[in-house]
Amino acid sequence: IKILKEYQRPEHWGLQPDGVLAREVRPPVASHVLVAGDDTERAALYLAAHGCEVFAIDQGRDAVERVVNAAEAAGLTDRVHGYIADLREWSSDIRLSAVVCTPSAFIGLDKGELGRVIESLQGATADGGVHLVDAGNASGGAQFVEELSAQYAGWKIMVEAAGGVSTSFLARKGAA
């Protein structure tokens, strides 16, 4: 399927062209990407327009339907797969090139569960792959972004801040 160049522009999806997603998350065409949490439709569609196979996970049926419906409207249904689940339930044999989440993807997880979920996602991520947690203006998001660093020993970590508040966490997996 031929994707219009317009769909590959971050601005088309309401994303910042100099934002962390457009700047740092560049998986190869035909790679697998997982997106989870609220307000991830734009990221899912942007990555699908770049040829990625996107797995959109959310606990709410409405959120999953929004992603799938938006993908259908953009002609990207063959690249976007919606799952009503939480990250504790995610299990797959595929290698991920990227994981893009918001803090809401981790709501309801205690510290032990959070550690297991992150470990599982890390194990599923290919060398060179990235994990992005975009807190934006989420309540408690800045603290969550700061806490993630301890979970990513051995990964190259970058934390971006706006107005002195951490808003994005990016970790890149090195070669094993």
Side-chain angles (χ1 to χ4, degrees):
I1 139 178
K2 185 178 178 193
I3 300 297
L4 296 173
K5 283 286 186 198
E6 176 65 21
Y7 283 10
Q8 294 181 338
R9 294 180 57 244
E11 301 92 335
H12 179 82
W13 304 109
L15 300 168
Q16 295 297 319
D18 60 347
V20 178
L21 179 68
R23 197 178 66 240
E24 300 287 339
V25 182
R26 297 186 168 272
V29 170
S31 59
H32 299 101
V33 176
L34 182 141
V35 298
D38 58 6
D39 200 28
T40 53
E41 301 98 55
R42 296 175 299 167
L45 297 171
Y46 172 73
L47 292 165
H50 280 272
C52 296
E53 187 146 349
V54 178
F55 300 92
I57 297 175
D58 198 281
Q59 295 178 50
R61 177 177 300 279
D62 292 348
V64 173
E65 286 177 354
R66 272 194 311 274
V67 174
V68 171
N69 290 340
E72 184 177 359
L76 296 168
T77 52
D78 61 328
R79 293 191 185 153
V80 178
H81 312 280
Y83 296 93
I84 301 168
D86 73 23
L87 290 175
R88 288 176 289 217
E89 300 166 13
W90 172 256
S91 172
S92 177
D93 301 355
I94 60 167
R95 300 299 286 164
L96 298 170
S97 293
V99 175
V100 177
C101 297
T102 61
S104 69
F106 304 101
I107 287 176
L109 302 180
D110 63 32
K111 278 199 180 287
E113 291 170 324
L114 175 64
R116 286 189 292 280
V117 164
I118 289 175
E119 188 177 299
S120 174
L121 292 172
Q122 289 171 334
T125 302
D127 290 348
V130 296
H131 287 190
L132 170 62
V133 178
D134 187 357
N137 298 323
S139 174
Q143 180 182 348
F144 183 71
V145 164
E146 295 293 334
E147 291 171 359
L148 283 175
S149 296
Q151 303 278 340
Y152 283 85
W155 289 52
K156 182 180 177 189
I157 296 170
M158 178 183 81
V159 176
E160 281 203 2
V165 176
S166 299
T167 58
S168 297
F169 172 88
L170 182 94
R172 188 172 306 279
K173 186 175 186 176

Short mmCIF file of all heavy atoms in Angstrom, two decimals, residues 74-146:
data_model
loop_
_atom_site.label_atom_id
_atom_site.label_comp_id
_atom_site.label_asym_id
_atom_site.label_seq_id
_atom_site.Cartn_x
_atom_site.Cartn_y
_atom_site.Cartn_z
N ALA A 74 -7.67 6.46 7.68
CA ALA A 74 -6.42 6.84 7.01
C ALA A 74 -5.94 5.76 6.04
O ALA A 74 -4.90 5.94 5.39
CB ALA A 74 -5.33 7.11 8.05
N GLY A 75 -6.66 4.66 5.95
CA GLY A 75 -6.24 3.58 5.06
C GLY A 75 -5.05 2.78 5.61
O GLY A 75 -4.27 2.21 4.85
N LEU A 76 -4.94 2.72 6.93
CA LEU A 76 -3.80 2.04 7.56
C LEU A 76 -4.22 0.81 8.36
O LEU A 76 -3.46 0.34 9.21
CB LEU A 76 -3.06 3.02 8.48
CG LEU A 76 -2.42 4.23 7.81
CD1 LEU A 76 -1.97 5.25 8.84
CD2 LEU A 76 -1.24 3.78 6.95
N THR A 77 -5.40 0.27 8.09
CA THR A 77 -5.91 -0.84 8.91
C THR A 77 -5.04 -2.08 8.84
O THR A 77 -5.00 -2.86 9.80
CB THR A 77 -7.34 -1.23 8.52
OG1 THR A 77 -7.39 -1.44 7.11
CG2 THR A 77 -8.33 -0.17 8.92
N ASP A 78 -4.32 -2.28 7.74
CA ASP A 78 -3.47 -3.47 7.66
C ASP A 78 -2.23 -3.35 8.54
O ASP A 78 -1.53 -4.33 8.75
CB ASP A 78 -3.08 -3.76 6.21
CG ASP A 78 -2.30 -2.63 5.57
OD1 ASP A 78 -2.53 -1.46 5.92
OD2 ASP A 78 -1.46 -2.93 4.69
N ARG A 79 -1.98 -2.17 9.08
CA ARG A 79 -0.78 -1.96 9.89
C ARG A 79 -1.07 -1.66 11.36
O ARG A 79 -0.14 -1.56 12.15
CB ARG A 79 0.02 -0.80 9.33
CG ARG A 79 0.59 -1.12 7.97
CD ARG A 79 1.58 -0.09 7.56
NE ARG A 79 2.02 -0.37 6.21
CZ ARG A 79 2.45 0.52 5.37
NH1 ARG A 79 2.52 1.78 5.73
NH2 ARG A 79 2.84 0.17 4.16
N VAL A 80 -2.32 -1.48 11.73
CA VAL A 80 -2.66 -1.13 13.11
C VAL A 80 -3.60 -2.19 13.67
O VAL A 80 -4.65 -2.47 13.11
CB VAL A 80 -3.33 0.27 13.19
CG1 VAL A 80 -3.73 0.59 14.62
CG2 VAL A 80 -2.40 1.34 12.65
N HIS A 81 -3.18 -2.78 14.79
CA HIS A 81 -3.94 -3.85 15.43
C HIS A 81 -4.28 -3.42 16.85
O HIS A 81 -3.39 -3.08 17.62
CB HIS A 81 -3.11 -5.14 15.46
CG HIS A 81 -2.48 -5.45 14.14
ND1 HIS A 81 -3.18 -6.04 13.11
CD2 HIS A 81 -1.24 -5.21 13.68
CE1 HIS A 81 -2.37 -6.16 12.07
NE2 HIS A 81 -1.19 -5.66 12.39
N GLY A 82 -5.55 -3.41 17.18
CA GLY A 82 -5.99 -2.98 18.50
C GLY A 82 -6.27 -4.15 19.42
O GLY A 82 -6.83 -5.16 18.99
N TYR A 83 -5.85 -4.01 20.69
CA TYR A 83 -6.07 -5.04 21.70
C TYR A 83 -6.58 -4.40 22.98
O TYR A 83 -5.98 -3.47 23.49
CB TYR A 83 -4.76 -5.79 22.02
CG TYR A 83 -4.22 -6.54 20.83
CD1 TYR A 83 -3.30 -5.94 19.99
CD2 TYR A 83 -4.66 -7.82 20.54
CE1 TYR A 83 -2.80 -6.62 18.88
CE2 TYR A 83 -4.17 -8.51 19.43
CZ TYR A 83 -3.25 -7.89 18.62
OH TYR A 83 -2.78 -8.56 17.52
N ILE A 84 -7.70 -4.93 23.48
CA ILE A 84 -8.22 -4.47 24.76
C ILE A 84 -7.55 -5.33 25.83
O ILE A 84 -7.88 -6.51 25.99
CB ILE A 84 -9.75 -4.59 24.81
CG1 ILE A 84 -10.38 -3.77 23.69
CG2 ILE A 84 -10.27 -4.15 26.19
CD1 ILE A 84 -11.85 -4.03 23.47
N ALA A 85 -6.59 -4.74 26.51
CA ALA A 85 -5.81 -5.47 27.52
C ALA A 85 -4.98 -4.46 28.30
O ALA A 85 -4.93 -3.28 27.94
CB ALA A 85 -4.89 -6.49 26.84
N ASP A 86 -4.34 -4.93 29.35
CA ASP A 86 -3.35 -4.08 29.99
C ASP A 86 -1.98 -4.71 29.75
O ASP A 86 -1.88 -5.83 29.25
CB ASP A 86 -3.66 -3.78 31.45
CG ASP A 86 -3.45 -4.94 32.40
OD1 ASP A 86 -2.68 -5.87 32.08
OD2 ASP A 86 -4.04 -4.91 33.49
N LEU A 87 -0.95 -3.99 30.07
CA LEU A 87 0.39 -4.45 29.74
C LEU A 87 0.81 -5.72 30.47
O LEU A 87 1.70 -6.43 30.01
CB LEU A 87 1.41 -3.33 29.98
CG LEU A 87 1.31 -2.17 28.99
CD1 LEU A 87 2.26 -1.05 29.39
CD2 LEU A 87 1.59 -2.64 27.57
N ARG A 88 0.13 -6.04 31.57
CA ARG A 88 0.43 -7.31 32.26
C ARG A 88 0.07 -8.49 31.38
O ARG A 88 0.65 -9.56 31.49
CB ARG A 88 -0.34 -7.41 33.57
CG ARG A 88 0.17 -6.50 34.67
CD ARG A 88 -0.73 -6.61 35.87
NE ARG A 88 -2.01 -5.98 35.56
CZ ARG A 88 -2.73 -5.29 36.42
NH1 ARG A 88 -2.35 -5.19 37.66
NH2 ARG A 88 -3.85 -4.72 36.06
N GLU A 89 -0.90 -8.29 30.50
CA GLU A 89 -1.40 -9.37 29.65
C GLU A 89 -0.66 -9.47 28.32
O GLU A 89 -0.86 -10.43 27.59
CB GLU A 89 -2.89 -9.15 29.39
CG GLU A 89 -3.72 -9.14 30.65
CD GLU A 89 -5.12 -8.59 30.42
OE1 GLU A 89 -5.54 -8.44 29.26
OE2 GLU A 89 -5.79 -8.28 31.42
N TRP A 90 0.16 -8.48 27.99
CA TRP A 90 0.84 -8.48 26.70
C TRP A 90 1.91 -9.55 26.69
O TRP A 90 2.77 -9.62 27.56
CB TRP A 90 1.46 -7.13 26.39
CG TRP A 90 2.31 -7.17 25.17
CD1 TRP A 90 3.67 -7.19 25.13
CD2 TRP A 90 1.87 -7.23 23.82
NE1 TRP A 90 4.10 -7.24 23.83
CE2 TRP A 90 3.02 -7.28 23.00
CE3 TRP A 90 0.63 -7.26 23.22
CZ2 TRP A 90 2.96 -7.34 21.61
CZ3 TRP A 90 0.57 -7.32 21.83
CH2 TRP A 90 1.71 -7.36 21.05
N SER A 91 1.87 -10.38 25.70
CA SER A 91 2.88 -11.41 25.52
C SER A 91 2.93 -11.71 24.03
O SER A 91 1.89 -11.87 23.40
CB SER A 91 2.50 -12.67 26.30
OG SER A 91 3.38 -13.71 25.99
N SER A 92 4.11 -11.76 23.51
CA SER A 92 4.21 -12.00 22.08
C SER A 92 5.57 -12.59 21.73
O SER A 92 6.54 -12.38 22.45
CB SER A 92 4.01 -10.68 21.33
OG SER A 92 4.16 -10.90 19.96
N ASP A 93 5.59 -13.29 20.64
CA ASP A 93 6.84 -13.86 20.13
C ASP A 93 7.58 -12.87 19.24
O ASP A 93 8.71 -13.13 18.86
CB ASP A 93 6.55 -15.11 19.28
CG ASP A 93 5.81 -16.17 20.06
OD1 ASP A 93 5.60 -16.00 21.27
OD2 ASP A 93 5.44 -17.18 19.45
N ILE A 94 6.94 -11.78 18.90
CA ILE A 94 7.56 -10.83 17.98
C ILE A 94 8.59 -9.97 18.68
O ILE A 94 8.52 -9.75 19.89
CB ILE A 94 6.50 -9.91 17.31
CG1 ILE A 94 5.75 -9.11 18.38
CG2 ILE A 94 5.56 -10.70 16.45
CD1 ILE A 94 4.94 -7.99 17.82
N ARG A 95 9.55 -9.48 17.92
CA ARG A 95 10.56 -8.55 18.43
C ARG A 95 10.05 -7.15 18.16
O ARG A 95 9.66 -6.82 17.04
CB ARG A 95 11.91 -8.76 17.74
CG ARG A 95 12.49 -10.14 17.92
CD ARG A 95 12.77 -10.51 19.35
NE ARG A 95 13.94 -9.80 19.85
CZ ARG A 95 14.23 -9.69 21.12
NH1 ARG A 95 13.46 -10.21 22.03
NH2 ARG A 95 15.29 -9.04 21.51
N LEU A 96 10.06 -6.34 19.19
CA LEU A 96 9.62 -4.96 19.06
C LEU A 96 10.80 -4.06 18.74
O LEU A 96 11.89 -4.23 19.29
CB LEU A 96 8.97 -4.49 20.37
CG LEU A 96 7.70 -5.23 20.80
CD1 LEU A 96 7.32 -4.81 22.23
CD2 LEU A 96 6.57 -4.98 19.83
N SER A 97 10.56 -3.08 17.87
CA SER A 97 11.58 -2.06 17.59
C SER A 97 11.34 -0.83 18.45
O SER A 97 12.26 -0.05 18.66
CB SER A 97 11.56 -1.67 16.11
OG SER A 97 11.99 -2.76 15.33
N ALA A 98 10.10 -0.65 18.89
CA ALA A 98 9.79 0.51 19.72
C ALA A 98 8.57 0.22 20.59
O ALA A 98 7.69 -0.55 20.21
CB ALA A 98 9.52 1.74 18.85
N VAL A 99 8.58 0.86 21.76
CA VAL A 99 7.44 0.86 22.67
C VAL A 99 7.18 2.32 22.99
O VAL A 99 8.08 3.04 23.42
CB VAL A 99 7.75 0.07 23.97
CG1 VAL A 99 6.59 0.20 24.95
CG2 VAL A 99 8.04 -1.39 23.66
N VAL A 100 5.95 2.78 22.73
CA VAL A 100 5.58 4.17 22.98
C VAL A 100 4.38 4.15 23.92
O VAL A 100 3.34 3.59 23.58
CB VAL A 100 5.24 4.91 21.66
CG1 VAL A 100 4.79 6.34 21.95
CG2 VAL A 100 6.42 4.88 20.70
N CYS A 101 4.55 4.73 25.10
CA CYS A 101 3.50 4.71 26.13
C CYS A 101 3.31 6.08 26.75
O CYS A 101 4.17 6.95 26.64
CB CYS A 101 3.88 3.75 27.26
SG CYS A 101 4.07 2.04 26.79
N THR A 102 2.20 6.20 27.42
CA THR A 102 1.98 7.31 28.34
C THR A 102 1.89 6.69 29.73
O THR A 102 1.65 5.48 29.85
CB THR A 102 0.70 8.10 28.00
OG1 THR A 102 -0.42 7.22 28.11
CG2 THR A 102 0.77 8.71 26.60
N PRO A 103 2.06 7.47 30.80
CA PRO A 103 1.98 6.90 32.15
C PRO A 103 0.69 6.15 32.43
O PRO A 103 0.67 5.22 33.23
CB PRO A 103 2.14 8.13 33.05
CG PRO A 103 2.97 9.07 32.26
CD PRO A 103 2.48 8.88 30.83
N SER A 104 -0.40 6.51 31.76
CA SER A 104 -1.68 5.84 32.02
C SER A 104 -1.63 4.35 31.67
O SER A 104 -2.42 3.57 32.20
CB SER A 104 -2.81 6.52 31.26
OG SER A 104 -2.67 6.31 29.88
N ALA A 105 -0.71 3.94 30.82
CA ALA A 105 -0.58 2.53 30.47
C ALA A 105 -0.18 1.69 31.68
O ALA A 105 -0.38 0.47 31.69
CB ALA A 105 0.45 2.36 29.36
N PHE A 106 0.36 2.34 32.71
CA PHE A 106 0.86 1.63 33.87
C PHE A 106 -0.03 1.80 35.10
O PHE A 106 0.31 1.34 36.18
CB PHE A 106 2.28 2.12 34.19
CG PHE A 106 3.21 1.96 33.02
CD1 PHE A 106 3.54 3.05 32.22
CD2 PHE A 106 3.76 0.73 32.70
CE1 PHE A 106 4.39 2.91 31.13
CE2 PHE A 106 4.61 0.58 31.62
CZ PHE A 106 4.93 1.67 30.83
N ILE A 107 -1.19 2.46 34.93
CA ILE A 107 -2.12 2.67 36.04
C ILE A 107 -2.58 1.31 36.57
O ILE A 107 -2.89 0.40 35.81
CB ILE A 107 -3.33 3.52 35.61
CG1 ILE A 107 -2.88 4.97 35.43
CG2 ILE A 107 -4.47 3.44 36.62
CD1 ILE A 107 -3.97 5.89 34.92
N GLY A 108 -2.63 1.20 37.87
CA GLY A 108 -3.10 -0.03 38.50
C GLY A 108 -2.01 -1.04 38.77
O GLY A 108 -2.27 -2.08 39.37
N LEU A 109 -0.78 -0.76 38.31
CA LEU A 109 0.32 -1.69 38.55
C LEU A 109 1.05 -1.29 39.83
O LEU A 109 1.40 -0.12 40.01
CB LEU A 109 1.33 -1.66 37.39
CG LEU A 109 0.81 -1.98 35.99
CD1 LEU A 109 1.95 -1.90 34.99
CD2 LEU A 109 0.16 -3.35 35.95
N ASP A 110 1.28 -2.27 40.71
CA ASP A 110 2.11 -1.96 41.87
C ASP A 110 3.57 -2.00 41.42
O ASP A 110 3.86 -2.34 40.26
CB ASP A 110 1.82 -2.89 43.05
CG ASP A 110 2.13 -4.36 42.75
OD1 ASP A 110 3.06 -4.65 41.98
OD2 ASP A 110 1.43 -5.22 43.32
N LYS A 111 4.50 -1.66 42.30
CA LYS A 111 5.91 -1.58 41.91
C LYS A 111 6.43 -2.90 41.35
O LYS A 111 7.17 -2.92 40.37
CB LYS A 111 6.77 -1.15 43.10
CG LYS A 111 6.79 0.34 43.31
CD LYS A 111 7.99 0.72 44.16
CE LYS A 111 8.07 2.19 44.41
NZ LYS A 111 8.46 2.96 43.27
N GLY A 112 6.03 -4.02 41.94
CA GLY A 112 6.46 -5.33 41.46
C GLY A 112 5.94 -5.62 40.06
O GLY A 112 6.68 -6.09 39.19
N GLU A 113 4.65 -5.35 39.85
CA GLU A 113 4.05 -5.57 38.53
C GLU A 113 4.68 -4.65 37.49
O GLU A 113 4.95 -5.06 36.36
CB GLU A 113 2.54 -5.33 38.58
CG GLU A 113 1.79 -6.37 39.37
CD GLU A 113 0.34 -5.99 39.62
OE1 GLU A 113 0.04 -4.79 39.83
OE2 GLU A 113 -0.50 -6.90 39.61
N LEU A 114 4.92 -3.40 37.87
CA LEU A 114 5.56 -2.45 36.96
C LEU A 114 6.92 -2.98 36.53
O LEU A 114 7.26 -2.98 35.35
CB LEU A 114 5.70 -1.08 37.62
CG LEU A 114 6.45 -0.04 36.81
CD1 LEU A 114 5.72 0.29 35.51
CD2 LEU A 114 6.67 1.23 37.63
N GLY A 115 7.70 -3.46 37.49
CA GLY A 115 9.01 -4.01 37.18
C GLY A 115 8.92 -5.20 36.23
O GLY A 115 9.69 -5.31 35.27
N ARG A 116 7.95 -6.08 36.46
CA ARG A 116 7.78 -7.25 35.59
C ARG A 116 7.33 -6.85 34.18
O ARG A 116 7.80 -7.40 33.19
CB ARG A 116 6.79 -8.24 36.21
CG ARG A 116 7.39 -9.01 37.38
CD ARG A 116 6.48 -10.14 37.86
NE ARG A 116 5.25 -9.67 38.50
CZ ARG A 116 5.16 -9.22 39.75
NH1 ARG A 116 6.23 -9.17 40.51
NH2 ARG A 116 4.00 -8.84 40.25
N VAL A 117 6.43 -5.87 34.10
CA VAL A 117 5.95 -5.41 32.79
C VAL A 117 7.11 -4.79 32.01
O VAL A 117 7.32 -5.10 30.83
CB VAL A 117 4.79 -4.41 32.94
CG1 VAL A 117 4.55 -3.62 31.66
CG2 VAL A 117 3.51 -5.14 33.35
N ILE A 118 7.87 -3.93 32.66
CA ILE A 118 8.99 -3.28 31.98
C ILE A 118 10.03 -4.32 31.56
O ILE A 118 10.53 -4.30 30.43
CB ILE A 118 9.60 -2.16 32.84
CG1 ILE A 118 8.61 -0.99 32.90
CG2 ILE A 118 10.95 -1.70 32.29
CD1 ILE A 118 9.00 0.14 33.81
N GLU A 119 10.31 -5.27 32.44
CA GLU A 119 11.26 -6.33 32.10
C GLU A 119 10.77 -7.14 30.90
O GLU A 119 11.55 -7.48 30.01
CB GLU A 119 11.44 -7.24 33.32
CG GLU A 119 12.53 -8.26 33.16
CD GLU A 119 12.70 -9.08 34.44
OE1 GLU A 119 13.02 -8.48 35.49
OE2 GLU A 119 12.50 -10.31 34.38
N SER A 120 9.49 -7.43 30.85
CA SER A 120 8.91 -8.17 29.73
C SER A 120 9.04 -7.37 28.43
O SER A 120 9.43 -7.92 27.38
CB SER A 120 7.44 -8.48 30.01
OG SER A 120 6.82 -9.06 28.90
N LEU A 121 8.72 -6.08 28.48
CA LEU A 121 8.84 -5.23 27.29
C LEU A 121 10.30 -5.10 26.85
O LEU A 121 10.60 -5.12 25.66
CB LEU A 121 8.23 -3.85 27.55
CG LEU A 121 6.72 -3.82 27.74
CD1 LEU A 121 6.26 -2.44 28.19
CD2 LEU A 121 6.00 -4.26 26.47
N GLN A 122 11.20 -4.98 27.81
CA GLN A 122 12.62 -4.91 27.49
C GLN A 122 13.09 -6.19 26.81
O GLN A 122 13.84 -6.14 25.83
CB GLN A 122 13.45 -4.66 28.75
CG GLN A 122 13.28 -3.27 29.32
CD GLN A 122 13.93 -3.12 30.69
OE1 GLN A 122 14.09 -4.08 31.44
NE2 GLN A 122 14.30 -1.89 31.02
N GLY A 123 12.64 -7.33 27.32
CA GLY A 123 13.02 -8.61 26.73
C GLY A 123 12.50 -8.78 25.31
O GLY A 123 13.12 -9.45 24.49
N ALA A 124 11.34 -8.18 25.02
CA ALA A 124 10.74 -8.29 23.69
C ALA A 124 11.33 -7.28 22.71
O ALA A 124 11.05 -7.35 21.51
CB ALA A 124 9.23 -8.09 23.78
N THR A 125 12.14 -6.35 23.22
CA THR A 125 12.67 -5.28 22.38
C THR A 125 14.01 -5.68 21.77
O THR A 125 14.91 -6.14 22.46
CB THR A 125 12.84 -3.98 23.20
OG1 THR A 125 11.55 -3.63 23.74
CG2 THR A 125 13.34 -2.83 22.34
N ALA A 126 14.10 -5.50 20.46
CA ALA A 126 15.33 -5.83 19.73
C ALA A 126 16.45 -4.86 20.09
O ALA A 126 16.19 -3.72 20.51
CB ALA A 126 15.06 -5.77 18.22
N ASP A 127 17.69 -5.30 19.93
CA ASP A 127 18.83 -4.41 20.13
C ASP A 127 18.67 -3.17 19.25
O ASP A 127 18.29 -3.28 18.09
CB ASP A 127 20.14 -5.12 19.78
CG ASP A 127 20.50 -6.21 20.79
OD1 ASP A 127 19.87 -6.26 21.86
OD2 ASP A 127 21.41 -7.00 20.49
N GLY A 128 18.94 -2.02 19.82
CA GLY A 128 18.76 -0.76 19.11
C GLY A 128 17.36 -0.20 19.22
O GLY A 128 17.12 0.94 18.82
N GLY A 129 16.44 -0.97 19.77
CA GLY A 129 15.06 -0.53 19.93
C GLY A 129 14.93 0.54 21.01
O GLY A 129 15.83 0.72 21.83
N VAL A 130 13.81 1.24 21.00
CA VAL A 130 13.60 2.33 21.94
C VAL A 130 12.29 2.17 22.71
O VAL A 130 11.34 1.58 22.20
CB VAL A 130 13.61 3.72 21.25
CG1 VAL A 130 14.95 4.01 20.63
CG2 VAL A 130 12.50 3.84 20.22
N HIS A 131 12.30 2.70 23.92
CA HIS A 131 11.09 2.83 24.73
C HIS A 131 10.91 4.31 25.00
O HIS A 131 11.84 4.97 25.48
CB HIS A 131 11.22 2.09 26.06
CG HIS A 131 11.17 0.61 25.93
ND1 HIS A 131 11.07 -0.21 27.03
CD2 HIS A 131 11.20 -0.21 24.86
CE1 HIS A 131 11.03 -1.47 26.63
NE2 HIS A 131 11.12 -1.50 25.32
N LEU A 132 9.74 4.83 24.69
CA LEU A 132 9.42 6.23 24.94
C LEU A 132 8.20 6.29 25.84
O LEU A 132 7.17 5.69 25.53
CB LEU A 132 9.11 6.97 23.62
CG LEU A 132 8.53 8.38 23.74
CD1 LEU A 132 9.50 9.33 24.44
CD2 LEU A 132 8.14 8.91 22.37
N VAL A 133 8.34 6.99 26.97
CA VAL A 133 7.20 7.28 27.83
C VAL A 133 7.03 8.78 27.79
O VAL A 133 7.90 9.52 28.25
CB VAL A 133 7.39 6.77 29.27
CG1 VAL A 133 6.18 7.15 30.13
CG2 VAL A 133 7.59 5.26 29.28
N ASP A 134 5.92 9.21 27.21
CA ASP A 134 5.65 10.64 27.06
C ASP A 134 4.63 11.05 28.11
O ASP A 134 3.45 10.70 28.01
CB ASP A 134 5.13 10.91 25.65
CG ASP A 134 4.98 12.39 25.36
OD1 ASP A 134 5.23 13.21 26.26
OD2 ASP A 134 4.60 12.72 24.23
N ALA A 135 5.11 11.76 29.11
CA ALA A 135 4.23 12.16 30.20
C ALA A 135 3.44 13.41 29.87
O ALA A 135 2.38 13.65 30.43
CB ALA A 135 5.03 12.38 31.48
N GLY A 136 3.96 14.23 28.96
CA GLY A 136 3.28 15.46 28.61
C GLY A 136 2.89 16.24 29.85
O GLY A 136 3.71 16.52 30.70
N ASN A 137 1.61 16.52 29.98
CA ASN A 137 1.10 17.26 31.15
C ASN A 137 0.39 16.36 32.14
O ASN A 137 -0.37 16.83 32.98
CB ASN A 137 0.13 18.37 30.68
CG ASN A 137 0.82 19.39 29.80
OD1 ASN A 137 1.97 19.72 30.03
ND2 ASN A 137 0.11 19.86 28.79
N ALA A 138 0.61 15.05 32.04
CA ALA A 138 -0.09 14.10 32.90
C ALA A 138 0.22 14.36 34.37
O ALA A 138 1.36 14.61 34.74
CB ALA A 138 0.29 12.68 32.53
N SER A 139 -0.80 14.25 35.19
CA SER A 139 -0.63 14.42 36.63
C SER A 139 0.28 13.32 37.16
O SER A 139 0.04 12.14 36.91
CB SER A 139 -1.99 14.34 37.32
OG SER A 139 -1.84 14.37 38.70
N GLY A 140 1.33 13.69 37.85
CA GLY A 140 2.28 12.71 38.38
C GLY A 140 3.22 12.14 37.34
O GLY A 140 4.06 11.31 37.64
N GLY A 141 3.06 12.59 36.10
CA GLY A 141 3.88 12.06 35.01
C GLY A 141 5.36 12.35 35.16
O GLY A 141 6.20 11.51 34.88
N ALA A 142 5.68 13.55 35.62
CA ALA A 142 7.09 13.93 35.77
C ALA A 142 7.78 13.03 36.78
O ALA A 142 8.90 12.58 36.55
CB ALA A 142 7.20 15.39 36.19
N GLN A 143 7.12 12.74 37.89
CA GLN A 143 7.70 11.85 38.90
C GLN A 143 7.88 10.45 38.32
O GLN A 143 8.89 9.80 38.53
CB GLN A 143 6.82 11.81 40.14
CG GLN A 143 7.40 10.90 41.22
CD GLN A 143 6.50 10.82 42.44
OE1 GLN A 143 5.57 11.60 42.59
NE2 GLN A 143 6.78 9.88 43.31
N PHE A 144 6.90 9.97 37.58
CA PHE A 144 6.96 8.64 36.96
C PHE A 144 8.14 8.57 36.00
O PHE A 144 8.89 7.60 35.98
CB PHE A 144 5.64 8.32 36.25
CG PHE A 144 5.61 6.94 35.67
CD1 PHE A 144 5.54 5.83 36.49
CD2 PHE A 144 5.66 6.75 34.29
CE1 PHE A 144 5.51 4.54 35.95
CE2 PHE A 144 5.64 5.47 33.76
CZ PHE A 144 5.55 4.37 34.59
N VAL A 145 8.32 9.60 35.17
CA VAL A 145 9.43 9.64 34.22
C VAL A 145 10.76 9.53 34.97
O VAL A 145 11.65 8.79 34.57
CB VAL A 145 9.37 10.94 33.37
CG1 VAL A 145 10.67 11.21 32.66
CG2 VAL A 145 8.23 10.83 32.35
N GLU A 146 10.89 10.25 36.07
CA GLU A 146 12.12 10.20 36.86
C GLU A 146 12.35 8.80 37.44
O GLU A 146 13.47 8.31 37.48
CB GLU A 146 12.08 11.23 37.99
CG GLU A 146 12.06 12.67 37.52
CD GLU A 146 13.34 13.12 36.84
OE1 GLU A 146 14.41 12.55 37.13
OE2 GLU A 146 13.26 14.03 36.00
#
